[in-house]
Every structure is written in C-alpha cells, then in structure tokens.
Amino acid sequence: MAKVSVIGAGNVGATCVNAMLHLNFCSDIVLLDIRQGFAEGKAMDMMQTSKIYQFNTRLVGVTNDYKATANSDVVIVTSGMPRKPGMTREELIGVNAKIVSDVTANVLKYSPNCIFEIIANPMDPMTYLTLKKNKLSKHRVVGMGGLLDTSRFTYYLSRALDVPVSDIEGMVIGGHGDKTMIPLIRMATYKGIPITSLLTNDECNKVVADTMIGGATLTKLIGTSAWYAPGVSAATMAKSIIQDDRKMFPCCCYLEGEYDQKDICIGVPAILGKDGWEKVIEFDLNAEEKKLFAASADATRSTAKILYDQKLI
Ligand code: APR
C-alpha cells in the first residue's frame, strides 16, 4: 500500500494527481483543497476516467479534511498562489509562506512520518521553510523545480538538434528562478556525444536562455503559471520515492557542505528513494559552473532571508 496526498487541487495539484494515476504506483491518493467541493469535483472527474485508462487507484477529494490524509507516505504541497504575467516566483513569498506553514503543520498532525515534496513558489525558500519550521530531518523534505527545468532544457535541446528528446541527457541545477537556475550545457549529451560539439555557441546560449525563461514564457502566454510539466515532474519524483527506485533527479535539498554551501535549500542532483532524498551527488563542476552555483546560492539565500526578516520562520 502506498498513499500520496496532494495539497492544492488547482492546475498543478490536479495535473500531478492525474499523472500519478497514469503512472499507476499508488494504492491511495488524497487530493485536498481549501475551496469547498473543488477537490471533490476534480477527483470525481478523474476517477471517471479509471475504466478507460484501467487504473485501480483509490482517489478521494476533500475540503480541508486533513484526517483523510492520515498515514500518507508522500505529501505534495502545491497550495499557493501561482505567478501572474511579469511576476517573478520570488514575489510570491509572503502569501505562500503562510499557506505552506499552515498546510505542512496540519499534514504532520496525521502523517508525522511523511516525506514532503514542495512545489509552491518560490520553491527553494518554501522547502527551507517546511524543513526549519517543522524541525524535520533534512532527508524528508525535497523541493521540485530542477526536474521541471531539466525537462524544459532537454526539450529545447531536442528542438535545436531536431532529434528525439529521449536521446538527450541533461540537467539543470541551482535555484528554481529565472535568473538562478543553471542549465549544465557542458554536461548535456546526445547519446553520449557532448551537445557543445553539435551546436554552435550561439545555439547553446539560446537553449540556455530559453530554458531559464521557460516558466515566464508560459506565464505570459497562458496568463498564469504552467501545470502539465510541473505536475508530471512532481509525480515522477513521488514515484521514485514510493517505489524506492533510487533514481537521480535534480532536487531542492538542504545542503550541509555539499557544493561548498551550508544552511540552504537549492537544486542539486540527488538520489530519491523510500526515505526521501538519500544523498546528494556532487558533479565535477568547472570554475565557471562553480561561480554560477555560488551566485545562485547567494540569490536563493537572500530570498530565504526574507522569511526571517518577515518573521515567517
Ligand atoms: N489549503 C489548501 N489549499 C489551498 C490553500 C490552503 N491553505 N490555499 C490555497 N489553496 C489552493 C487553492 O484553492 C487552489 O485550488 O491551492 C490551489 C492552487 O492552485 P492554482 O491557483 O491553480 O495554482 P497552480 O497553478 O496549481 O500553482 C500552485 O505551484 O508552480 C507553483 O507557482 C505555482 O505557487 C504556485 C503553486
């Protein structure tokens, strides 16, 4: 038996649940929202696809009923305001910090041993807040941002090369912000061949730039932040945890010396298994990448500092 609860039945939360149903790795899923009847309706609609898609997961939607989330193995927190066009993820900090604090405290009353996957933005500080405010073991709190950014990165690489995305490997580390993420272009490959030997410098720079503004581009087009790629990225990470797959994903983890950083939650490659994030994998970054990571950490840390300044921790 594996139970996952998703807090927030909006665009990202509902899409994440839908992806989990299709990936078929949970016996039970609970979708919770503060809006009366909203999660119930979304859950009912999705369950009415079960015969067609042939999944047997039990999914229930509830309005603020945390008892229903009891004994969850993984809890995915999507509750929070999304971006409006022109907004940065960082601007959401005040309002979303209150929601995330409230929600995670409620979850822990009924699932004291759960692993949290944080999605609400600004995701890196929200991951830090969840960890610190609830005094949890660092391995039990992981943020989702790097996998989404990586999925955008590999998509743009596949378009630039005109090859299937399944033949591309790449990773984005650093903060989950338009200016803080670091698409590791030097390490990206097409079937083992370095991408930097296949694309010109300008083409590489364009892929990196498109990746970094990937979320903002969508927000401008749709009028709110994206949900398909965030939803399935969150579901994929939960699957590795529930099935103890021990796959490596870029995840937001609390660092204690890795990548020369301390007391920060930021995106790094990590192994995801039954106990949460198991260990951080240290890539052999060159001097330029190290500099970018240090700058990304400085920016991420200064956003997280707002939590202390505004007494939100
Ligand atoms: N408890 C439970 N649910 C809540 C609470 C709360 N305290 N506060 C808000 N919600 C719910 C809202 O009712 C809404 O249904 O969270 C949901 C958020 O959904 P959307 O507004 O559709 O936002 P979404 O696009 O899903 O983004 C959610 O993920 O990617 C990030 O930046 C994004 O922070 C945002 C979050």
Side-chain angles (χ1 to χ4, degrees), residues 7-13 32-35 38 64 66 78-83 92 96 99 102-103 119-121 225:
I7 313 299
N11 288 332
V12 177
L32 181 149
D33 202 280
I34 200 166
R35 275 169 68 182
F38 192 57
N64 243 10
Y66 283 87
T78 77
S79 46
M81 244 175 64
R83 284 205 273 182
L92 300 167
N96 284 354
I99 296 174
D102 195 36
V103 156
I119 302 182
N121 274 314
S225 51

Short mmCIF file of all heavy atoms in Angstrom, two decimals, residues 7-13 32-35 38 64 66 78-83 92 96 99 102-103 119-121 225, ligand 1:
data_model
loop_
_atom_site.label_atom_id
_atom_site.label_comp_id
_atom_site.label_asym_id
_atom_site.label_seq_id
_atom_site.Cartn_x
_atom_site.Cartn_y
_atom_site.Cartn_z
N ILE A 7 -1.77 18.48 -1.71
CA ILE A 7 -2.46 19.64 -1.13
C ILE A 7 -2.52 20.73 -2.20
O ILE A 7 -1.48 21.17 -2.71
CB ILE A 7 -1.71 20.16 0.12
CG1 ILE A 7 -1.33 19.00 1.07
CG2 ILE A 7 -2.55 21.22 0.84
CD1 ILE A 7 -2.48 18.20 1.62
N GLY A 8 -3.74 21.17 -2.47
CA GLY A 8 -3.96 22.13 -3.55
C GLY A 8 -4.45 21.38 -4.78
O GLY A 8 -3.71 20.57 -5.35
N ALA A 9 -5.72 21.62 -5.13
CA ALA A 9 -6.31 20.89 -6.28
C ALA A 9 -6.41 21.79 -7.50
O ALA A 9 -7.25 21.58 -8.37
CB ALA A 9 -7.70 20.37 -5.89
N GLY A 10 -5.54 22.80 -7.55
CA GLY A 10 -5.54 23.72 -8.69
C GLY A 10 -4.86 23.07 -9.89
O GLY A 10 -4.81 21.84 -10.01
N ASN A 11 -4.33 23.91 -10.75
CA ASN A 11 -3.76 23.41 -12.00
C ASN A 11 -2.64 22.38 -11.78
O ASN A 11 -2.65 21.30 -12.35
CB ASN A 11 -3.21 24.59 -12.82
CG ASN A 11 -4.34 25.43 -13.39
OD1 ASN A 11 -5.43 24.92 -13.65
ND2 ASN A 11 -4.09 26.71 -13.58
N VAL A 12 -1.68 22.73 -10.93
CA VAL A 12 -0.54 21.83 -10.74
C VAL A 12 -0.95 20.60 -9.93
O VAL A 12 -0.61 19.46 -10.29
CB VAL A 12 0.63 22.57 -10.05
CG1 VAL A 12 1.78 21.61 -9.78
CG2 VAL A 12 1.11 23.73 -10.90
N GLY A 13 -1.69 20.80 -8.85
CA GLY A 13 -2.08 19.68 -7.99
C GLY A 13 -2.91 18.65 -8.73
O GLY A 13 -2.63 17.44 -8.68
N LEU A 32 -6.53 17.42 -1.60
CA LEU A 32 -7.15 18.32 -0.61
C LEU A 32 -7.06 19.77 -1.09
O LEU A 32 -6.02 20.19 -1.59
CB LEU A 32 -6.44 18.16 0.73
CG LEU A 32 -6.94 19.00 1.93
CD1 LEU A 32 -6.72 18.24 3.24
CD2 LEU A 32 -6.27 20.37 2.01
N ASP A 33 -8.13 20.51 -0.91
CA ASP A 33 -8.10 21.94 -1.23
C ASP A 33 -8.95 22.67 -0.20
O ASP A 33 -9.82 22.10 0.45
CB ASP A 33 -8.65 22.20 -2.64
CG ASP A 33 -8.17 23.54 -3.21
OD1 ASP A 33 -8.74 24.59 -2.84
OD2 ASP A 33 -7.21 23.53 -4.02
N ILE A 34 -8.69 23.95 -0.10
CA ILE A 34 -9.42 24.79 0.87
C ILE A 34 -10.78 25.22 0.28
O ILE A 34 -11.70 25.55 1.02
CB ILE A 34 -8.54 26.00 1.26
CG1 ILE A 34 -8.99 26.62 2.57
CG2 ILE A 34 -8.47 27.05 0.15
CD1 ILE A 34 -7.95 27.59 3.15
N ARG A 35 -10.88 25.22 -1.04
CA ARG A 35 -12.13 25.65 -1.69
C ARG A 35 -13.18 24.55 -1.61
O ARG A 35 -12.94 23.43 -2.07
CB ARG A 35 -11.88 25.95 -3.17
CG ARG A 35 -11.36 27.34 -3.42
CD ARG A 35 -10.87 27.49 -4.83
NE ARG A 35 -11.94 27.43 -5.82
CZ ARG A 35 -11.71 27.50 -7.12
NH1 ARG A 35 -10.48 27.61 -7.59
NH2 ARG A 35 -12.71 27.47 -7.97
N PHE A 38 -14.11 21.71 -4.36
CA PHE A 38 -13.23 21.80 -5.54
C PHE A 38 -12.45 20.49 -5.76
O PHE A 38 -12.46 19.92 -6.86
CB PHE A 38 -12.29 22.98 -5.34
CG PHE A 38 -11.52 23.40 -6.55
CD1 PHE A 38 -12.18 23.76 -7.73
CD2 PHE A 38 -10.13 23.45 -6.55
CE1 PHE A 38 -11.48 24.17 -8.85
CE2 PHE A 38 -9.42 23.86 -7.66
CZ PHE A 38 -10.09 24.22 -8.80
N ASN A 64 -10.29 20.60 2.97
CA ASN A 64 -9.59 20.89 4.23
C ASN A 64 -9.68 19.81 5.31
O ASN A 64 -9.50 20.11 6.48
CB ASN A 64 -10.11 22.20 4.81
CG ASN A 64 -9.00 23.22 4.87
OD1 ASN A 64 -7.92 23.00 4.31
ND2 ASN A 64 -9.22 24.33 5.55
N TYR A 66 -7.90 17.17 6.90
CA TYR A 66 -6.56 16.58 6.97
C TYR A 66 -6.58 15.15 7.50
O TYR A 66 -5.64 14.39 7.27
CB TYR A 66 -5.62 17.49 7.79
CG TYR A 66 -5.18 18.68 6.97
CD1 TYR A 66 -5.95 19.84 6.92
CD2 TYR A 66 -4.04 18.61 6.18
CE1 TYR A 66 -5.56 20.92 6.14
CE2 TYR A 66 -3.65 19.69 5.38
CZ TYR A 66 -4.42 20.84 5.37
OH TYR A 66 -4.03 21.89 4.57
N THR A 78 1.21 21.79 -3.26
CA THR A 78 1.07 22.72 -4.40
C THR A 78 0.23 23.93 -4.01
O THR A 78 0.03 24.82 -4.84
CB THR A 78 0.39 22.05 -5.62
OG1 THR A 78 -1.02 21.95 -5.38
CG2 THR A 78 0.95 20.67 -5.90
N SER A 79 -0.29 23.93 -2.79
CA SER A 79 -1.19 25.03 -2.39
C SER A 79 -0.41 26.34 -2.34
O SER A 79 0.62 26.43 -1.68
CB SER A 79 -1.79 24.72 -1.02
OG SER A 79 -0.77 24.27 -0.14
N GLY A 80 -0.91 27.32 -3.03
CA GLY A 80 -0.24 28.61 -3.06
C GLY A 80 -0.64 29.37 -4.29
O GLY A 80 -1.23 28.80 -5.21
N MET A 81 -0.32 30.66 -4.28
CA MET A 81 -0.66 31.49 -5.43
C MET A 81 0.28 31.20 -6.59
O MET A 81 1.49 31.08 -6.39
CB MET A 81 -0.52 32.96 -5.04
CG MET A 81 -1.84 33.71 -5.08
SD MET A 81 -1.59 35.37 -4.48
CE MET A 81 -0.47 36.01 -5.72
N PRO A 82 -0.25 31.11 -7.81
CA PRO A 82 0.63 30.99 -8.97
C PRO A 82 1.09 32.36 -9.44
O PRO A 82 0.59 33.38 -8.97
CB PRO A 82 -0.27 30.33 -10.02
CG PRO A 82 -1.65 30.73 -9.66
CD PRO A 82 -1.68 31.03 -8.17
N ARG A 83 2.03 32.37 -10.38
CA ARG A 83 2.53 33.64 -10.93
C ARG A 83 1.53 34.26 -11.88
O ARG A 83 0.82 33.56 -12.60
CB ARG A 83 3.80 33.37 -11.73
CG ARG A 83 4.99 33.14 -10.90
CD ARG A 83 6.23 33.50 -11.69
NE ARG A 83 6.75 32.40 -12.50
CZ ARG A 83 7.85 32.51 -13.23
NH1 ARG A 83 8.52 33.64 -13.27
NH2 ARG A 83 8.29 31.48 -13.92
N LEU A 92 6.12 35.86 -4.68
CA LEU A 92 5.01 35.15 -4.04
C LEU A 92 5.32 34.79 -2.59
O LEU A 92 4.47 34.19 -1.90
CB LEU A 92 4.72 33.85 -4.81
CG LEU A 92 4.30 33.99 -6.28
CD1 LEU A 92 4.38 32.63 -6.98
CD2 LEU A 92 2.89 34.53 -6.37
N ASN A 96 2.57 32.90 0.09
CA ASN A 96 2.72 31.44 0.04
C ASN A 96 3.40 30.87 1.28
O ASN A 96 3.13 29.73 1.67
CB ASN A 96 3.45 31.03 -1.24
CG ASN A 96 2.52 31.11 -2.45
OD1 ASN A 96 1.32 31.38 -2.30
ND2 ASN A 96 3.05 30.90 -3.64
N ILE A 99 0.67 30.08 3.73
CA ILE A 99 -0.10 28.89 3.32
C ILE A 99 0.72 27.61 3.57
O ILE A 99 0.22 26.65 4.14
CB ILE A 99 -0.50 28.98 1.82
CG1 ILE A 99 -1.44 30.17 1.60
CG2 ILE A 99 -1.14 27.69 1.34
CD1 ILE A 99 -1.80 30.45 0.14
N ASP A 102 1.06 26.71 7.31
CA ASP A 102 -0.21 26.22 7.81
C ASP A 102 -0.49 24.78 7.36
O ASP A 102 -0.80 23.88 8.14
CB ASP A 102 -1.27 27.19 7.23
CG ASP A 102 -2.59 27.06 7.91
OD1 ASP A 102 -2.56 26.83 9.12
OD2 ASP A 102 -3.63 27.16 7.23
N VAL A 103 -0.33 24.58 6.07
CA VAL A 103 -0.63 23.29 5.46
C VAL A 103 0.29 22.19 5.99
O VAL A 103 -0.16 21.10 6.34
CB VAL A 103 -0.50 23.45 3.91
CG1 VAL A 103 -0.21 22.15 3.24
CG2 VAL A 103 -1.73 24.12 3.33
N ILE A 119 6.22 22.23 -3.92
CA ILE A 119 6.14 22.80 -5.27
C ILE A 119 5.80 24.29 -5.24
O ILE A 119 6.22 25.05 -6.11
CB ILE A 119 5.09 22.05 -6.11
CG1 ILE A 119 5.47 20.57 -6.16
CG2 ILE A 119 4.98 22.63 -7.50
CD1 ILE A 119 4.56 19.74 -6.97
N ALA A 120 5.02 24.70 -4.23
CA ALA A 120 4.60 26.11 -4.16
C ALA A 120 5.82 27.03 -4.25
O ALA A 120 6.87 26.75 -3.68
CB ALA A 120 3.85 26.36 -2.85
N ASN A 121 5.67 28.11 -4.99
CA ASN A 121 6.78 29.04 -5.22
C ASN A 121 6.79 30.21 -4.23
O ASN A 121 5.74 30.55 -3.70
CB ASN A 121 6.66 29.58 -6.65
CG ASN A 121 7.35 28.65 -7.63
OD1 ASN A 121 8.47 28.21 -7.38
ND2 ASN A 121 6.68 28.35 -8.72
N SER A 225 0.78 30.46 -14.13
CA SER A 225 1.93 29.60 -14.34
C SER A 225 1.52 28.23 -14.88
O SER A 225 0.36 27.83 -14.81
CB SER A 225 2.78 29.49 -13.07
OG SER A 225 2.00 29.15 -11.97
N1 APR B 1 -5.02 24.92 1.84
C1 APR B 1 -5.36 24.15 0.81
N2 APR B 1 -5.40 24.59 -0.47
C2 APR B 1 -5.12 25.88 -0.68
C3 APR B 1 -4.75 26.76 0.37
C4 APR B 1 -4.71 26.22 1.68
N3 APR B 1 -4.38 26.96 2.73
N4 APR B 1 -4.51 27.97 -0.15
C5 APR B 1 -4.71 27.86 -1.48
N5 APR B 1 -5.08 26.60 -1.80
C6 APR B 1 -5.42 26.05 -3.11
C7 APR B 1 -6.28 26.99 -3.93
O1 APR B 1 -7.65 26.92 -3.54
C8 APR B 1 -6.04 26.45 -5.35
O2 APR B 1 -7.02 25.50 -5.74
O3 APR B 1 -4.24 25.87 -3.90
C9 APR B 1 -4.66 25.80 -5.26
C10 APR B 1 -3.63 26.47 -6.13
O4 APR B 1 -3.99 26.24 -7.44
P1 APR B 1 -3.81 27.29 -8.61
O5 APR B 1 -4.28 28.62 -8.17
O6 APR B 1 -4.40 26.69 -9.85
O7 APR B 1 -2.22 27.38 -8.75
P2 APR B 1 -1.25 26.35 -9.51
O8 APR B 1 -1.06 26.79 -10.91
O9 APR B 1 -1.70 24.98 -9.24
O10 APR B 1 0.12 26.64 -8.76
C11 APR B 1 0.30 26.25 -7.42
O11 APR B 1 2.64 25.79 -7.69
O12 APR B 1 4.00 26.06 -9.54
C12 APR B 1 3.60 26.61 -8.33
O13 APR B 1 3.83 28.99 -8.65
C13 APR B 1 2.92 27.94 -8.51
O14 APR B 1 2.87 28.57 -6.18
C14 APR B 1 2.10 28.05 -7.25
C15 APR B 1 1.72 26.59 -6.97
#
